[in-house]
Amino acid sequence: MPSHLPEILSQLNADMRSDSDWGEVAAYIPELAGIAPDQFGIAVATADGQLYSAGDAETPFSVQSVTKVFTLAVALGRSGDQLWKRVGREPSGRAFNSIVQLEAEEGRPRNPFINAGAIVVTDELLAGRAPRETLGEIVQFVRTAAEDEDIHINQRVAESENAHGHRNYALAHFLASTGNLKNAPEKTLGTYFHHCAIEMTARQLAMAGRFLIDSPQLPRMIMPPRIRRLNALMLTCGHYDGSGDFAYRVGLPAKSGVGGGILAIVPGVASVAVWSPGLNRYGNSLKGTEAMALLARQMGWSIF
Ligand code: DON
């Protein structure tokens, strides 16, 4: 790894703080609405075992939709390709919580990263099990990936979203009406809101993302063909209707969350986590996206 990475990260941190447009924090989850937008942290875990960071990289944040990469990895491990009978693999070109597309396509969500798709993935993970057991498996996967037991679910965030998650309830009930939900909407959504409410720092998230780097230097949690496919889905669907723009600007597979986190993978090289809670119009971190674009350019990181 080039020795100037620490300097690049601290310069990025300074650059991000010198501009006052931080975007808007997600307000539809009341527990997240009060978070100060002017925070920024970045961490890079490399295939050769180093961890570099700058800014607020030790502040825990709600990973929200970034969890969907971990839950998809666990679900594919349990159900294999059967999962694709229930959910597609195409970019949606629509907001992450779109209702209209789900109806037009008769209850088969476009991909596993939009909310409807992640609800189906969660429903699949619940097969024959209680929410507690399912959540235990997801959290343990994340802890093992990060080599860190100090990763937890924030109950207040989960309950706050459950009390206000009307769009997700609409999606789940529509899925149920088409036969693409096996459990009661309350049960599947309760589990979904809880795994979205996992908290990590940027340093923990960068560590947890290493299972997607695909390097012989790292412990293997899933097989290389599946790692490549998860990365393909992150590139094409990881930023919803902002996925094309992110691929154009950054050129790396990545997954965002409304907590302001982004996990990006440099295949064979590194896992990068960035966090800044203010969002752009697609619901993805404003400063996080800018920082990823600058870092990728300065490091010459791109899959293209
Ligand atoms: O279901 C929701 O709306 C949230 N728990 C997660 C959405 C999310 O993170 C979208 N990402 N940018």
Side-chain angles (χ1 to χ4, degrees), residues 28-29 64-65 68 96 115 161 168 192-193 196 240 255-259 283-284:
Y28 72 96
I29 304 174
Q64 293 298 321
S65 288
K68 294 171 182 173
F96 62 88
N115 286 7
E161 187 170 12
N168 283 325
Y192 168 79
F193 294 139
C196 286
Y240 317 106
K255 183 74 209 80
S256 66
V258 290
N284 303 318

Side-chain angles (χ1 to χ4, degrees), residues 4-146:
H4 58 294
L5 182 56
E7 288 75 51
I8 290 180
L9 295 182
S10 75
Q11 187 58 48
L12 261 181
N13 178 41
D15 290 349
M16 290 302 119
R17 284 166 201 279
S18 69
D19 176 287
S20 62
D21 183 7
W22 291 88
E24 306 272 329
V25 298
Y28 72 96
I29 304 174
E31 196 62 32
L32 299 182
I35 291 174
D38 55 343
Q39 302 184 75
F40 175 83
I42 187 162
V44 180
T46 63
D48 57 13
Q50 304 299 312
L51 178 63
Y52 304 94
S53 63
D56 302 312
E58 305 220 46
T59 306
F61 61 90
S62 196
V63 300
Q64 293 298 321
S65 288
V66 182
T67 188
K68 294 171 182 173
V69 181
F70 300 96
T71 48
L72 179 61
V74 177
L76 285 172
R78 289 185 77 85
S79 304
D81 287 342
Q82 288 274 93
L83 182 69
W84 303 120
K85 290 189 178 148
R86 301 183 63 188
V87 59
R89 298 191 292 263
E90 294 296 337
S92 64
R94 293 217 179 242
F96 62 88
N97 54 7
S98 171
I99 294 174
V100 66
Q101 190 170 55
L102 189 65
E103 178 166 24
E105 299 184 356
E106 294 168 357
R108 185 169 182 264
R110 271 285 174 106
N111 68 63
F113 294 151
I114 54 172
N115 286 7
I119 292 167
V120 166
V121 170
T122 305
D123 190 61
E124 180 79 15
L125 272 172
L126 278 167
R129 295 192 297 175
R132 179 176 292 275
E133 211 182 320
T134 303
L135 289 167
E137 184 184 24
I138 295 167
V139 172
Q140 199 46 57
F141 184 94
V142 175
R143 287 177 179 165
T144 304

Side-chain angles (χ1 to χ4, degrees), residues 29-32 35 60-64 135 139 143 150-162 190-200:
I29 304 174
E31 196 62 32
L32 299 182
I35 291 174
F61 61 90
S62 196
V63 300
Q64 293 298 321
L135 289 167
V139 172
R143 287 177 179 165
D150 192 18
I151 293 173
H152 308 276
I153 291 171
N154 183 324
Q155 290 290 343
R156 283 198 320 279
V157 173
E159 281 157 26
S160 172
E161 187 170 12
N162 196 21
T191 311
Y192 168 79
F193 294 139
H194 276 79
H195 69 68
C196 286
I198 292 172
E199 288 187 342
M200 280 189 255

